[in-house]
Amino acid sequence: MIIVNNVSKYYGDFCALKNINLELVPGVYGLLAPNGAGKTTLIKMLATLIFPTEGEILYEGKNILDMDEDYRKLIGYLPQQFGFYKNYTPKQYLTYLAALKGIKKKEANQIIPELLEKVSLQDVMNKKMKKFSGGMIQRVGIAQALLNDPKILILDEPTAGLDPKERARFRHIISELSRNRIVLISTHIVSDVESIANEIVMIKNQEIFMKDSVERICKNYEGFVYETKIKIEEFNRFSEQHFIIAERQEQDGIKVRFVEKNQKAEDWVAVDPNLEDVFLYEYRDREKAGIE
C-alpha cells in the first residue's frame, strides 16, 4: 500500500499541488486532469524524481525517501517521453537497461523475450526501432518499465499519439499487468482509463477533487446530462445558457448533449452520464480559458 499523506509541492511561491491525500492498493488508478493540472508533479514525487515540500509518502508504512534504493527497485516508470536508441533492437535496448538496473545477464536473457511477448513484440525483437510506429515504441517503453517486475507501475501519458487500435492494445496489456501490482496512469484522455481503472483520481485547483470508481462518479451526475434537438438558429443562444458536451448537425436541426443542474425542459431527454461528461463539465473553466 502507498499512502500519500498531506503532500504539497511548491516551486517558490507557486503551488503545484496542495494537501494531497491518497491510498493506493493493487489495481489500476486513472489520474485524470487537463494538462498543467499537476498530474506529472504527483507521479514524479511517487517516483522520487522530485520531493514533496510538505507531507510524506509512505510505502508499507515506511517513508519512501528513507527507503531510497529499496523503494526505487519496486518502481517501473514510463515517462511521457523516454529516450531510446533508434539503431538498437528492442532486445538490445532492454539488455542495456537491464544491465543499468543491475539485473544479471542470465536473468535478463530469460525475462526479456517474455516481456516482449507480453507486449506483442516478439516477432520484431531483433529489428531496429528506427522503423517502429509510435505504438510499438510505447510498448517497448512498457516492457522496459517491467524489467524489474515492479510492484508499482507508473505511466505518464502512455498513449499520447497512439491510434485507436494501439490504445485498445495498451488497455488490454494494462488490465493483465494490474492483477498483482499498483498501476497509476496519468492522462487527460478519458477513454484510456474509463474501462480499465478501478478508481479515478481527479485533480482540480491543485487538490484531489474526486477519488472513486467510474460508476460512482458518474452516478453523482444522474439527472443532469441531457440530449435534445434544437433549431440551427437557436444554437448560439442555447450554448450560452447551457454547457454543451457534444453536438451533431442533422437535417432538421442540431442534436446536442449537455449538462444542466438547475433546470429541466419537457423536450430534454435525460441520458446516462459517462466519465467524459464529468471531465468536460468539471474542467469547463480551463477549456474556456484555452487550456487543453
Side-chain angles (χ1 to χ4, degrees):
M1 175 186 288
I2 294 176
I3 296 177
V4 181
N5 188 22
N6 291 321
V7 163
S8 298
K9 179 64 179 177
Y10 291 88
Y11 296 96
D13 294 332
F14 174 72
C15 179
L17 290 172
K18 60 183 177 182
N19 299 326
I20 301 297
N21 290 281
L22 282 174
E23 288 189 7
L24 306 176
V25 297
V28 180
Y29 296 85
L31 183 57
L32 191 60
N35 288 335
K39 302 187 306 295
T40 298
T41 297
L42 178 57
I43 65 173
K44 282 187 174 181
M45 287 192 288
L46 289 168
T48 68
L49 297 175
I50 59 176
F51 309 116
T53 307
E54 299 172 355
E56 60 183 359
I57 302 174
L58 308 175
Y59 178 77
E60 302 297 349
K62 299 178 181 178
N63 191 309
I64 64 173
L65 301 183
D66 295 335
M67 293 177 67
D68 197 24
E69 191 63 28
D70 289 337
Y71 175 73
R72 293 190 183 96
K73 288 178 181 178
L74 302 173
I75 295 175
Y77 179 49
L78 175 62
Q80 186 171 355
Q81 294 180 335
F82 69 97
F84 66 97
Y85 300 106
K86 294 182 178 180
N87 286 320
Y88 272 31
T89 68
K91 185 176 180 181
Q92 288 173 325
Y93 176 65
L94 294 180
T95 299
Y96 168 69
L97 290 180
L100 291 181
K101 292 185 177 186
I103 299 172
K104 294 180 180 179
K105 188 173 182 180
K106 183 177 180 180
E107 182 182 354
N109 290 337
Q110 178 181 343
I111 63 175
I112 287 171
E114 294 174 357
L115 288 175
L116 291 172
E117 183 174 2
K118 187 183 291 288
V119 297
S120 300
L121 290 174
Q122 67 271 23
D123 294 337
V124 294
M125 71 167 64
N126 294 311
K127 293 187 177 181
K128 291 184 178 181
M129 291 187 286
K130 62 183 178 182
K131 294 184 178 180
F132 281 15
S133 68
M136 294 168 75
I137 294 298
Q138 285 297 83
R139 281 185 272 152
V140 174
I142 292 172
Q144 67 80 24
L146 293 169
L147 271 170
N148 55 329
D149 191 23
K151 298 295 184 183
I152 306 156
L153 185 60
I154 301 173
L155 309 173
D156 189 5
E157 300 286 358
T159 64
L162 302 192
D163 62 33
K165 185 177 180 180
E166 288 287 3
R167 276 203 174 94
R169 188 196 299 270
F170 165 81
R171 290 194 292 268
H172 175 70
I173 291 170
I174 295 306
S175 291
E176 287 191 339
L177 293 175
S178 67
R179 290 168 191 164
N180 60 353
R181 69 190 89 217
I182 296 170
V183 180
L184 182 64
I185 305 171
S186 169
T187 185
H188 65 284
I189 302 172
V190 175
S191 59
D192 282 353
V193 293
E194 186 167 22
S195 61
I196 62 171
N198 299 98
E199 288 194 331
I200 299 294
V201 179
M202 298 177 75
I203 297 175
K204 190 174 182 181
N205 298 325
Q206 291 78 49
E207 297 181 292
I208 298 297
F209 171 58
M210 292 185 186
K211 181 181 180 289
D212 214 332
S213 67
V214 172
E215 293 77 12
R216 286 193 288 267
I217 288 174
C218 291
K219 190 173 180 61
N220 292 331
Y221 292 78
E222 283 184 358
F224 301 136
V225 183
Y226 300 94
E227 288 183 355
T228 192
K229 188 173 289 186
I230 58 176
K231 296 177 181 179
I232 293 175
E233 57 268 24
E234 296 175 351
F235 179 79
N236 288 339
R237 181 175 60 85
F238 191 91
S239 64
E240 290 174 357
Q241 296 173 341
H242 312 286
F243 183 75
I244 294 178
I245 300 291
E247 73 242 27
R248 183 178 71 244
Q249 188 159 330
E250 299 180 348
Q251 288 184 343
D252 54 347
I254 300 177
K255 187 173 184 179
V256 293
R257 182 185 183 98
F258 61 101
V259 178
E260 177 55 68
K261 291 190 171 185
N262 300 316
Q263 56 180 299
K264 185 181 187 308
E266 289 185 2
D267 58 344
W268 297 357
V269 178
V271 295
D272 291 335
N274 57 44
L275 192 59
E276 185 173 37
D277 297 330
V278 177
F279 180 82
L280 292 175
Y281 180 74
E282 291 299 340
Y283 295 108
R284 61 195 181 279
D285 293 335
R286 294 176 66 89
E287 189 175 80
K288 289 177 182 177
I291 301 172
E292 184 182 359

Coordinates of all heavy atoms in Angstrom, one line a residue, residues 53-99:
T53 N 7.3 19.3 -0.8 CA 7.7 20.4 0.0 C 7.2 20.2 1.4 O 7.8 20.5 2.4 CB 7.1 21.7 -0.5 OG1 7.5 21.9 -1.9 CG2 7.6 22.9 0.2
E54 N 6.0 19.6 1.5 CA 5.3 19.3 2.8 C 4.7 17.9 2.7 O 4.4 17.5 1.6 CB 4.2 20.3 3.1 CG 4.7 21.8 3.3 CD 3.6 22.8 3.4 OE1 2.4 22.3 3.3 OE2 3.9 24.0 3.6
G55 N 4.6 17.3 3.8 CA 4.0 16.0 3.9 C 4.9 14.8 3.6 O 6.1 15.0 3.4
E56 N 4.4 13.6 3.5 CA 5.2 12.4 3.3 C 4.5 11.4 2.4 O 3.2 11.4 2.4 CB 5.6 11.8 4.6 CG 4.4 11.4 5.5 CD 4.9 10.8 6.8 OE1 6.1 10.8 7.1 OE2 4.0 10.4 7.6
I57 N 5.2 10.5 1.8 CA 4.7 9.4 1.0 C 5.2 8.1 1.6 O 6.5 8.0 1.8 CB 5.1 9.5 -0.5 CG1 4.6 10.8 -1.1 CG2 4.5 8.3 -1.2 CD1 5.0 11.1 -2.5
L58 N 4.4 7.2 2.0 CA 4.7 6.0 2.7 C 4.4 4.8 1.8 O 3.4 4.7 1.1 CB 4.0 5.9 4.0 CG 4.0 7.1 5.0 CD1 3.1 6.8 6.2 CD2 5.4 7.3 5.4
Y59 N 5.4 3.8 1.9 CA 5.1 2.5 1.2 C 5.2 1.5 2.3 O 6.3 1.3 3.0 CB 6.1 2.2 0.1 CG 5.9 0.8 -0.5 CD1 4.9 0.6 -1.4 CD2 6.7 -0.2 -0.1 CE1 4.7 -0.7 -1.9 CE2 6.5 -1.5 -0.7 CZ 5.5 -1.7 -1.5 OH 5.3 -3.0 -2.1
E60 N 4.1 0.8 2.6 CA 4.1 -0.2 3.6 C 4.5 0.4 5.0 O 5.3 -0.2 5.7 CB 4.9 -1.5 3.3 CG 4.5 -2.2 2.0 CD 3.1 -2.8 2.1 OE1 2.5 -2.8 3.2 OE2 2.6 -3.1 1.0
G61 N 4.1 1.6 5.2 CA 4.4 2.3 6.5 C 5.8 3.0 6.5 O 6.0 3.7 7.5
K62 N 6.6 2.9 5.5 CA 7.9 3.5 5.5 C 8.0 4.7 4.6 O 7.4 4.6 3.5 CB 9.0 2.5 5.1 CG 9.1 1.3 6.1 CD 10.2 0.3 5.5 CE 10.3 -0.9 6.4 NZ 11.3 -1.9 5.9
N63 N 8.6 5.7 5.0 CA 8.8 6.9 4.1 C 9.7 6.5 2.9 O 10.8 6.0 3.1 CB 9.5 8.0 4.9 CG 9.4 9.3 4.1 OD1 9.8 9.4 3.0 ND2 9.0 10.4 4.8
I64 N 9.2 6.8 1.7 CA 9.9 6.3 0.5 C 11.2 7.0 0.4 O 12.2 6.4 -0.2 CB 9.0 6.5 -0.7 CG1 8.8 8.0 -1.0 CG2 7.7 5.7 -0.7 CD1 8.1 8.2 -2.4
L65 N 11.4 8.2 0.9 CA 12.7 8.9 0.9 C 13.7 8.2 1.8 O 14.9 8.1 1.4 CB 12.5 10.3 1.2 CG 11.6 11.2 0.4 CD1 11.6 12.6 0.8 CD2 11.9 11.0 -1.1
D66 N 13.3 7.6 2.9 CA 14.2 6.9 3.7 C 14.5 5.5 3.1 O 15.6 5.0 3.4 CB 13.5 6.7 5.1 CG 13.3 8.0 5.9 OD1 14.1 9.0 5.6 OD2 12.4 8.1 6.7
M67 N 13.6 5.0 2.4 CA 13.8 3.7 1.7 C 14.9 3.8 0.6 O 15.6 2.8 0.3 CB 12.5 3.1 1.2 CG 11.5 2.7 2.2 SD 10.0 2.1 1.5 CE 10.5 0.6 0.7
D68 N 14.9 4.9 0.0 CA 15.9 5.2 -1.1 C 15.9 4.1 -2.1 O 14.9 3.9 -2.8 CB 17.3 5.4 -0.4 CG 18.3 6.1 -1.3 OD1 17.8 6.8 -2.2 OD2 19.5 5.9 -1.2
E69 N 17.0 3.5 -2.3 CA 17.1 2.5 -3.4 C 16.2 1.3 -3.3 O 15.7 0.7 -4.3 CB 18.6 2.0 -3.5 CG 18.9 1.2 -4.8 CD 18.8 2.0 -6.1 OE1 18.9 3.3 -6.0 OE2 18.5 1.4 -7.1
D70 N 15.9 0.9 -2.1 CA 15.0 -0.2 -1.8 C 13.6 0.1 -2.4 O 12.9 -0.8 -2.9 CB 14.9 -0.5 -0.3 CG 16.1 -1.1 0.2 OD1 16.9 -1.7 -0.6 OD2 16.3 -1.0 1.4
Y71 N 13.2 1.4 -2.4 CA 11.9 1.8 -2.9 C 12.0 1.8 -4.5 O 11.1 1.3 -5.2 CB 11.5 3.1 -2.4 CG 10.2 3.6 -3.0 CD1 9.0 3.1 -2.7 CD2 10.2 4.7 -3.9 CE1 7.8 3.6 -3.3 CE2 9.1 5.2 -4.5 CZ 7.9 4.6 -4.2 OH 6.7 5.1 -4.8
R72 N 13.1 2.4 -5.0 CA 13.2 2.5 -6.4 C 13.2 1.2 -7.1 O 12.8 1.1 -8.3 CB 14.5 3.3 -6.8 CG 14.4 4.8 -6.3 CD 15.5 5.6 -6.9 NE 15.5 7.0 -6.4 CZ 16.2 7.4 -5.4 NH1 17.0 6.6 -4.7 NH2 16.1 8.6 -5.0
K73 N 13.7 0.2 -6.4 CA 13.7 -1.2 -7.0 C 12.3 -1.7 -7.2 O 12.0 -2.7 -8.0 CB 14.5 -2.2 -6.1 CG 16.0 -1.9 -6.2 CD 16.7 -2.9 -5.2 CE 18.2 -2.7 -5.2 NZ 18.9 -3.6 -4.3
L74 N 11.3 -1.1 -6.5 CA 9.9 -1.6 -6.6 C 9.2 -0.9 -7.7 O 8.0 -1.2 -8.0 CB 9.2 -1.3 -5.3 CG 9.8 -1.9 -4.0 CD1 9.0 -1.4 -2.8 CD2 9.7 -3.4 -4.1
I75 N 9.8 0.1 -8.4 CA 9.1 1.0 -9.3 C 9.4 0.7 -10.7 O 10.6 0.4 -11.1 CB 9.4 2.5 -9.1 CG1 8.9 2.9 -7.7 CG2 8.8 3.4 -10.1 CD1 9.4 4.3 -7.4
G76 N 8.4 0.7 -11.6 CA 8.6 0.7 -13.0 C 8.0 2.0 -13.5 O 6.8 2.3 -13.2
Y77 N 8.7 2.8 -14.3 CA 8.3 4.1 -14.7 C 8.4 4.3 -16.2 O 9.5 4.1 -16.8 CB 9.2 5.1 -13.9 CG 8.8 6.6 -14.2 CD1 7.5 7.1 -14.2 CD2 9.9 7.5 -14.5 CE1 7.3 8.4 -14.4 CE2 9.6 8.8 -14.8 CZ 8.3 9.3 -14.7 OH 8.0 10.6 -15.0
L78 N 7.3 4.8 -16.8 CA 7.3 5.2 -18.2 C 7.0 6.6 -18.3 O 5.9 7.0 -18.1 CB 6.3 4.3 -19.0 CG 6.1 4.7 -20.4 CD1 7.4 4.5 -21.2 CD2 5.0 3.9 -21.1
P79 N 8.0 7.5 -18.5 CA 7.7 8.9 -18.6 C 7.0 9.2 -19.9 O 6.9 8.4 -20.8 CB 9.1 9.6 -18.6 CG 10.0 8.5 -19.1 CD 9.4 7.2 -18.6
Q80 N 6.5 10.4 -20.0 CA 5.7 10.8 -21.2 C 6.6 10.7 -22.5 O 6.2 10.2 -23.5 CB 5.2 12.2 -21.1 CG 4.3 12.6 -22.3 CD 3.6 13.9 -22.0 OE1 3.8 14.5 -20.9 NE2 2.9 14.4 -22.9
Q81 N 7.9 11.1 -22.4 CA 8.8 10.9 -23.4 C 10.1 10.2 -22.9 O 10.7 10.8 -22.0 CB 9.2 12.2 -24.1 CG 8.0 12.9 -24.8 CD 8.4 14.2 -25.4 OE1 9.4 14.9 -25.0 NE2 7.7 14.7 -26.4
F82 N 10.4 9.0 -23.4 CA 11.6 8.3 -22.9 C 12.6 8.2 -24.0 O 12.3 8.1 -25.2 CB 11.2 7.0 -22.3 CG 10.8 5.9 -23.3 CD1 11.7 5.0 -23.8 CD2 9.5 5.9 -23.7 CE1 11.3 4.1 -24.7 CE2 9.0 5.0 -24.7 CZ 10.0 4.0 -25.2
G83 N 13.9 8.2 -23.6 CA 14.9 8.1 -24.6 C 15.2 6.7 -25.0 O 15.1 5.8 -24.2
F84 N 15.4 6.5 -26.3 CA 15.8 5.2 -26.7 C 16.8 5.4 -27.9 O 16.8 6.5 -28.6 CB 14.6 4.4 -27.1 CG 13.8 4.9 -28.3 CD1 14.0 4.4 -29.6 CD2 12.9 5.9 -28.2 CE1 13.3 4.9 -30.7 CE2 12.2 6.4 -29.2 CZ 12.4 5.9 -30.5
Y85 N 17.5 4.3 -28.3 CA 18.4 4.4 -29.4 C 17.8 3.8 -30.6 O 17.5 2.6 -30.6 CB 19.7 3.6 -29.0 CG 20.4 4.2 -27.8 CD1 20.4 3.6 -26.5 CD2 21.1 5.4 -27.9 CE1 21.0 4.1 -25.4 CE2 21.7 6.0 -26.7 CZ 21.6 5.3 -25.5 OH 22.3 5.8 -24.4
K86 N 17.6 4.6 -31.6 CA 16.8 4.2 -32.8 C 17.5 3.0 -33.5 O 16.9 2.2 -34.1 CB 16.7 5.3 -33.8 CG 15.8 6.4 -33.3 CD 15.6 7.5 -34.3 CE 14.7 8.6 -33.8 NZ 14.5 9.7 -34.8
N87 N 18.8 2.9 -33.4 CA 19.5 1.8 -34.1 C 19.7 0.6 -33.3 O 20.3 -0.4 -33.7 CB 20.9 2.3 -34.5 CG 20.9 3.3 -35.7 OD1 20.1 3.1 -36.6 ND2 21.7 4.3 -35.7
Y88 N 19.1 0.6 -32.1 CA 19.0 -0.6 -31.3 C 17.8 -1.4 -31.6 O 16.8 -0.8 -32.0 CB 19.0 -0.2 -29.8 CG 20.3 -0.1 -29.1 CD1 21.4 0.4 -29.8 CD2 20.5 -0.4 -27.7 CE1 22.6 0.6 -29.1 CE2 21.7 -0.2 -27.1 CZ 22.7 0.3 -27.8 OH 23.9 0.5 -27.2
T89 N 17.9 -2.7 -31.4 CA 16.7 -3.5 -31.5 C 16.0 -3.5 -30.1 O 16.7 -3.2 -29.1 CB 17.0 -5.0 -31.9 OG1 17.8 -5.6 -30.8 CG2 17.8 -5.0 -33.2
P90 N 14.8 -3.9 -30.0 CA 14.2 -4.0 -28.6 C 15.0 -4.9 -27.7 O 15.2 -4.5 -26.5 CB 12.8 -4.5 -28.9 CG 12.5 -4.1 -30.3 CD 13.8 -4.1 -31.0
K91 N 15.5 -6.0 -28.2 CA 16.2 -6.9 -27.4 C 17.5 -6.2 -26.9 O 17.9 -6.3 -25.7 CB 16.5 -8.2 -28.1 CG 17.2 -9.2 -27.3 CD 17.4 -10.5 -28.1 CE 18.1 -11.6 -27.2 NZ 18.3 -12.8 -28.0
Q92 N 18.2 -5.5 -27.8 CA 19.5 -4.8 -27.4 C 19.2 -3.7 -26.4 O 19.9 -3.6 -25.4 CB 20.1 -4.2 -28.6 CG 20.7 -5.3 -29.6 CD 21.2 -4.6 -30.8 OE1 20.6 -3.7 -31.4 NE2 22.3 -5.1 -31.4
Y93 N 18.1 -3.0 -26.6 CA 17.8 -1.9 -25.7 C 17.4 -2.4 -24.3 O 17.9 -1.8 -23.3 CB 16.6 -1.1 -26.3 CG 16.1 0.0 -25.5 CD1 16.8 1.1 -25.3 CD2 14.8 0.0 -25.0 CE1 16.3 2.2 -24.5 CE2 14.3 1.0 -24.3 CZ 15.0 2.1 -24.0 OH 14.5 3.2 -23.3
L94 N 16.6 -3.4 -24.2 CA 16.2 -3.9 -22.9 C 17.4 -4.6 -22.2 O 17.5 -4.5 -21.0 CB 15.1 -4.9 -23.1 CG 13.8 -4.3 -23.6 CD1 12.7 -5.4 -23.7 CD2 13.3 -3.2 -22.6
T95 N 18.3 -5.2 -23.0 CA 19.5 -5.8 -22.4 C 20.4 -4.7 -21.8 O 20.9 -4.9 -20.7 CB 20.3 -6.6 -23.5 OG1 19.5 -7.6 -24.0 CG2 21.6 -7.2 -22.9
Y96 N 20.5 -3.6 -22.5 CA 21.3 -2.5 -22.0 C 20.7 -1.9 -20.7 O 21.4 -1.7 -19.7 CB 21.4 -1.4 -23.1 CG 21.9 -0.1 -22.6 CD1 23.2 0.1 -22.3 CD2 21.0 1.0 -22.6 CE1 23.7 1.3 -21.9 CE2 21.5 2.3 -22.1 CZ 22.8 2.4 -21.8 OH 23.3 3.6 -21.4
L97 N 19.4 -1.7 -20.7 CA 18.7 -1.2 -19.5 C 18.8 -2.2 -18.3 O 18.9 -1.7 -17.2 CB 17.3 -0.8 -19.8 CG 17.1 0.4 -20.7 CD1 15.6 0.6 -21.0 CD2 17.7 1.6 -20.2
A98 N 18.6 -3.4 -18.6 CA 18.7 -4.4 -17.6 C 20.1 -4.4 -16.9 O 20.2 -4.5 -15.7 CB 18.5 -5.8 -18.2
A99 N 21.1 -4.2 -17.7 CA 22.5 -4.1 -17.1 C 22.6 -2.8 -16.2 O 23.1 -2.9 -15.1 CB 23.5 -4.0 -18.2

